[in-house]
Amino acid sequence: MEPSEAKWTGTSLTILTITDPPTDRHKIVTARSAYAGRGVVDWLPAMSELVSLSHEGDVAVVTIANPPVNALSPGVPESIRRAIAAAANDPAVAAIIVIGAGRTFIAGADIREFGKVVSGEKPRLTLLPLLLEIEDCPKPVVMAIHGTAFGGGMEVALAGHYRVLAASAQVGQPEVKLGIIPGAAGTQRLPRLAGVAKAVEMCAFGEPVGAQEALALGIADRIIDGDLLAGAVAFAREVAGKPCPKTREREEKLRGADPAIFARAREQAGKTKRGQTAPLAAIEAVEAATRLPFDEGCAREAELFGECLYSTQSKALIHAFFAERAVSKIPDVPKDTAVLEIGRAAVIGAGTMGGGITMNYANAGIPVIVKETSQEALDRGMAIIRRNYAGSVKRGKLSQAAMDQRMALITPQLTYDGFDQADIIAEAVFEGMALKKQVFAEIDGIAKPGCILASNTSYLDIDEIASVTRRPEMVLGHHYFSPANVMRLLEIVRGRATSKAVLATSMALAKRLNKIGVLAGNARGFIGNRMLGPYLREAQFLVEEGAAVEDVNQALYDFGMAMGPLAMSDLAGLDVGWRIRKEFKHLEKPGVRVPLVADQLCEMGRFGQKTGRGWSQYDENRQPSHDPETAAMIERAAREAGIERRAISREEIVDRCLFALVNEGAHLLGEGIALRAADIDIVYLNGYAFPAWRGGPMFYADTVGLKTVLARVEEFRGRHGADLWTPAPLLMRLVESGAAFADFDKRGAAASA
Ligand code: T1G
């Protein structure tokens, strides 16, 4: 427990009340640091294992060591406070440095603690007193930042008198990505240093800035090349004895702030953070800094922070944060499973997917061969790759040098030359089993032992593909999402024989390719597309039953999807689904209702955006509008099928589409095709533009309540039949036991711990 109050008098800190009596360690600290002034570097284990105090001559060094990211977990703020107090009280100390041990400065508050606060298990603590003490310290406190200073870490840095950054450091307030806002005066101190416009941008949109930009903005005072601590000590000596600039007292950048800054930010948040509350709260908090004195601004920030913290959106985004970090853990693949080296790659097919996959390897610095069957196809593929890179250069996202470097890593060719050197061969040919098997038989004959053979199939049976090779243990699915060089999701599809080393290697490779690898079982459509089937089916049934195409799209758009289901099909191309339906026609159950119109549209050559017509019609800018012909086709097809048409509510549209998704998710979770409900959420957040602030379909279902979901599913079964709406056994089991998908995951995690 921390001193409840402390006040600086001149150079020594008078601790008014100490609730936990000063331990011997404390007395030792004071004594020793006086001694340390004589140049003995001294690790004073006094504070706690999380924070230590040492000395570089007359400079005290407070080191935070709370791996993996020095989060402000319980005990850390308290120990920082004690260390600062000890150093400030030490006459031998002229200046104080705060630095992080390991790979980063402080990456923020401990996000794992938020749930305990929201559930009432723990009281909400504030960092504000610690930050005021740092700011009011009579000796200069220099924040030495490497890695990341994020959230509460940035707020600690802002309370310091000076900030020196390693050249690769990043600083930022990413709290909105967790559905909250800075809660320790970040919205009040940051505008005082970086200016109002930049502070609004950083707090409302959550993107960090690099060291150079931080220096230009006035956040950083110096960039240190080489040894950060040495550079910080030198800097500290330069400022020792000088007045300590308090960030909260710097008002010059607040004055005359243009109100249009806030209006523009709200407009942008309305576009890029549609449906999210935290960005608007962050804008309001920074705006408060321009209107209110510091303390009142902090109070307004705390109110807004509280509103966000207890919101469902924040729970959803925090769920997504940890879910994204959990997906790489495969219970039966031990952490220390040997990862195979991937130094060279080869891709078969330079089409839309093959080209994107090739770019992923080049972007990661891995030399990659890309093979096509004709010069024309190869040239077309390479032209798209070049155009994509040129576009990034034009937008300033990539330097010309980096583009040239990546292009140089790509070897386009028409033969299998060099494939025998590859560590991984990624196949991205036309989606047909016969062709896939032919290609896999060929590459099995060429590839070196230990080479991974990965198919980009989005539906086909991995075991059947592997059956034509003599190395099924090296075969699996690497299912990318279009555009493959942009979409972060990678479904890693496990075949019956796929080895653990190949799985571990794929998970590690996903990180190298800047992808989120999610393990999926070998079921038709794996996780994402398997669930998408019922979702799109219901969307089509709804228009047959009377809903307008636009209403179905709008309802899911308003729910938060980037676009409605029929608009998404028009974007992806209706011919993609058409080909797959033909491939699996033999699996259709006789007498079971299937959508009526999509095939008709395709037979007319209407594949959606790329042909200008599909469910909607599109102008030259691909802007959609109502297509009366499609509407007439739907009406006619429904009439001929004897489908009664009626007015359909927005709620029914959303529930039928989303609960079809969720129910199918529960089916494949029960079958073990997905390891965790959270994995399904990550698939949908990163592959299907499901709104992150809803947490994903399974998390959303938990917020609605599985009892309600099941009741709706059973209602739809009653109306549309068991062939279409059979409640998943897992869903029924969870409802019976009053549990949620989150509990299913917890049990899974406990079982595999
Ligand atoms: N709290 C708890 N655990 C954290 C954490 C945090 N802030 N940040 C990371 N971890 C865990 C993570 O779950 C993983 O665990 C391991 O550390 C490595 O993370 C008061 C209220 C810093 C850029 O939003 O963005 O401060 O899976 O895999 O890729 O106003 O982590 O190994 O068990 O992501 O190198 C604001 C969140 C908090 C930053 C490093 N801070 N973290 O990325 O490693 S709110 C953030 C990150 C706040 C104040 C408010 C990244 C990273 P495990 P990793 P990485």
Side-chain angles (χ1 to χ4, degrees):
M1 179 58 68
E2 259 314 294
S4 54
E5 174 134 348
K7 203 186 259 41
W8 292 103
T9 51
T11 59
S12 70
L13 174 74
T14 317
I15 300 192
L16 294 179
T17 54
I18 297 184
T19 45
D20 58 336
T23 62
D24 295 351
R25 283 191 308 172
H26 203 142
K27 293 189 190 107
I28 296 166
V29 167
T30 321
R32 280 208 176 161
S33 52
Y35 175 74
R38 293 197 184 80
V40 177
V41 174
D42 179 357
W43 279 90
L44 294 172
M47 301 304 144
S48 76
E49 282 64 39
L50 302 169
V51 174
S52 61
L53 178 61
S54 62
H55 297 80
E56 297 284 337
D58 60 353
V59 175
V61 181
V62 177
T63 304
I64 298 140
N66 181 26
V69 293
N70 292 330
L72 294 162
S73 311
V76 174
E78 298 86 340
S79 300
I80 296 174
R81 207 167 170 184
R82 252 201 292 270
I84 297 268
N89 247 336
D90 183 342
V93 169
I96 304 166
I97 289 172
V98 177
I99 193 166
R103 61 184 167 139
T104 185
F105 188 71
I106 301 167
D110 188 332
I111 304 169
R112 291 186 193 284
E113 293 295 306
F114 293 159
K116 299 170 191 162
V117 171
V118 170
S119 65
E121 190 189 327
K122 281 197 167 178
R124 194 172 120 197
L125 298 178
T126 171
L127 285 172
L128 293 180
L130 164 66
L131 304 186
L132 283 174
E133 274 164 36
I134 291 173
E135 203 165 45
D136 289 342
C137 177
K139 298 174 183 176
V141 179
V142 178
M143 299 292 168
I145 298 168
H146 71 300
T148 56
F150 281 178
M154 174 67 155
E155 291 164 310
V156 168
L158 293 170
H161 303 120
Y162 300 97
R163 286 146 294 279
V164 297
L165 272 57
S168 59
Q170 290 205 310
V171 298
Q173 305 277 187
E175 285 91 341
V176 285
K177 296 182 180 176
L178 300 169
I180 52 178
I181 68 169
T187 63
Q188 307 304 304
R189 286 197 173 92
L190 185 58
R192 284 169 162 80
L193 282 187
V196 174
K198 192 64 188 180
V200 164
E201 183 193 313
M202 290 175 73
C203 293
F205 301 100
E207 295 312 316
V209 297
Q212 285 301 341
E213 189 176 359
L215 186 68
L217 287 166
I219 295 171
D221 299 283
R222 182 172 297 170
I223 295 184
I224 308 286
D225 295 315
D227 183 324
L228 176 65
L229 180 58
V233 169
F235 181 92
R237 293 219 167 94
E238 287 171 33
V239 296
K242 294 194 181 135
C244 301
K246 299 181 181 182
T247 307
R248 74 172 185 272
E249 292 172 357
R250 298 166 76 162
E251 309 269 335
E252 61 281 8
K253 289 189 179 178
L254 291 179
R255 292 197 202 99
D258 174 2
I261 292 171
F262 308 111
R264 276 198 302 274
R266 288 189 173 100
E267 194 191 332
Q268 189 195 345
K271 289 197 196 108
T272 63
K273 300 277 182 182
R274 187 170 60 87
Q276 299 191 45
T277 49
L280 301 173
I283 296 166
E284 190 182 333
V286 177
E287 193 173 19
T290 64
R291 286 186 288 105
L292 302 169
F294 181 77
D295 292 347
E296 290 172 39
C298 287
R300 182 65 189 129
E301 177 197 84
E303 279 169 4
L304 292 162
F305 175 82
E307 288 161 21
C308 291
L309 184 66
Y310 290 86
S311 69
T312 305
Q313 291 197 7
S314 176
K315 293 189 189 87
L317 287 160
I318 290 172
H319 161 76
F321 178 86
F322 287 117
E324 186 179 317
R325 282 148 184 86
V327 284
S328 59
K329 301 179 174 92
I330 307 173
D332 69 333
V333 177
K335 243 188 173 166
D336 58 3
T337 301
V339 167
L340 307 172
E341 195 209 332
I342 304 291
R344 286 176 171 283
V347 176
I348 305 171
T352 311
M353 296 308 290
I357 295 168
T358 302
M359 289 178 73
N360 289 330
Y361 282 102
N363 295 349
I366 300 172
V368 54
I369 301 169
V370 58
K371 173 187 179 300
E372 255 298 352
T373 51
S374 74
Q375 193 59 49
E376 190 221 342
L378 191 60
D379 295 346
R380 193 172 46 241
M382 288 307 293
I384 293 171
I385 291 176
R386 197 168 288 108
R387 203 170 51 233
N388 286 342
Y389 279 133
S392 302
V393 171
K394 198 154 164 251
R395 291 191 304 277
K397 297 260 184 245
L398 191 68
S399 68
Q400 186 58 50
M403 170 177 171
D404 300 342
Q405 203 182 23
R406 292 172 192 199
M407 289 301 294
L409 286 169
I410 301 172
T411 308
Q413 58 187 56
L414 299 175
T415 66
Y416 279 124
D417 293 356
F419 271 59
D420 57 350
Q421 300 303 310
D423 301 306
I424 183 166
I425 300 176
E427 163 276 313
V429 302
F430 187 76
E431 188 79 309
M433 184 55 89
L435 178 60
K436 302 262 186 204
K437 288 168 96 168
Q438 176 206 325
V439 168
F440 269 72
E442 287 167 6
I443 55 179
D444 182 44
I446 297 165
K448 67 181 183 183
C451 175
I452 295 175
L453 307 182
S455 172
N456 182 55
T457 178
S458 52
Y459 266 86
L460 299 174
D461 182 341
I462 294 293
D463 293 332
E464 190 177 343
I465 293 173
S467 68
V468 298
T469 73
R470 289 156 302 160
R471 59 179 90 198
E473 76 286 357
M474 303 307 291
V475 176
L476 78 174
H478 278 187
H479 176 215
Y480 293 85
F481 288 73
S482 182
N485 56 308
V486 177
M487 297 297 280
R488 291 204 63 210
L489 180 64
L490 175 62
E491 274 185 332
I492 295 173
V493 185
R494 181 178 198 162
R496 198 174 308 115
T498 307
S499 76
K500 294 181 179 177
V502 168
L503 293 172
T505 304
S506 296
M507 279 295 173
L509 179 64
K511 284 211 169 106
R512 269 178 83 189
L513 301 180
N514 195 24
K515 302 294 179 191
I516 302 172
V518 178
L519 189 76
N522 182 31
R524 183 155 51 111
F526 317 129
I527 297 176
N529 286 341
R530 159 116 176 237
M531 291 169 65
L532 194 67
Y535 173 77
L536 294 177
R537 176 199 73 205
E538 288 307 309
Q540 294 173 72
F541 284 171
L542 285 157
V543 291
E544 290 170 10
E545 293 163 31
V549 167
E550 294 72 29
D551 292 348
V552 172
N553 283 332
Q554 191 64 40
L556 274 302
Y557 179 80
D558 293 346
F559 172 82
M561 302 297 280
M563 63 177 63
L566 303 170
M568 182 171 76
S569 302
D570 274 350
L571 174 68
L574 302 182
D575 51 328
V576 179
W578 193 31
R579 258 202 313 278
I580 292 164
R581 284 192 297 278
K582 284 187 203 164
E583 180 92 22
F584 293 104
K585 192 95 189 134
H586 60 289
L587 295 175
E588 270 180 21
K589 258 196 193 163
V592 175
R593 181 182 172 190
V594 291
L596 300 169
V597 177
D599 287 359
Q600 294 177 26
L601 288 169
C602 290
E603 278 138 23
M604 297 163 72
R606 297 184 180 179
F607 300 147
Q609 283 196 17
K610 58 185 167 189
T611 58
R613 300 187 80 166
W615 291 107
S616 302
Q617 51 187 339
Y618 298 85
D619 64 19
E620 63 284 357
N621 302 319
R622 295 201 171 208
Q623 288 310 304
S625 61
H626 176 69
D627 188 328
E629 254 189 63
T630 302
M633 281 170 66
I634 295 168
E635 219 170 308
R636 194 170 47 248
R639 199 172 46 248
E640 286 163 7
I643 295 170
E644 181 214 335
R645 291 173 59 80
R646 57 192 169 87
I648 298 178
S649 70
R650 191 173 281 258
E651 189 207 358
E652 178 180 347
I653 292 171
V654 171
D655 286 0
R656 275 175 67 180
C657 292
L658 290 183
F659 295 162
L661 197 67
V662 169
N663 190 44
E664 194 63 26
H667 274 293
L668 58 84
L669 204 51
E671 295 159 20
I673 303 300
L675 289 173
R676 292 160 283 246
D679 289 17
I680 295 175
D681 289 335
I682 292 301
V683 164
Y684 265 76
L685 265 54
N686 295 282
Y688 300 82
F690 195 98
W693 53 274
R694 297 272 191 187
M698 309 313 272
F699 182 90
Y700 169 67
D702 277 354
T703 60
V704 170
L706 296 191
K707 203 158 171 245
T708 305
V709 173
L710 179 58
R712 265 315 228 166
V713 170
E714 285 170 341
E715 182 193 329
F716 296 145
R717 175 178 57 184
R719 222 186 295 159
H720 303 287
D723 288 321
L724 298 171
W725 285 96
T726 300
L730 174 66
L731 177 59
M732 294 197 286
R733 276 203 310 277
L734 290 171
V735 169
E736 235 165 75
S737 60
F741 288 126
D743 302 310
F744 174 87
D745 286 359
K746 277 196 204 111
R747 278 187 224 137
S752 60

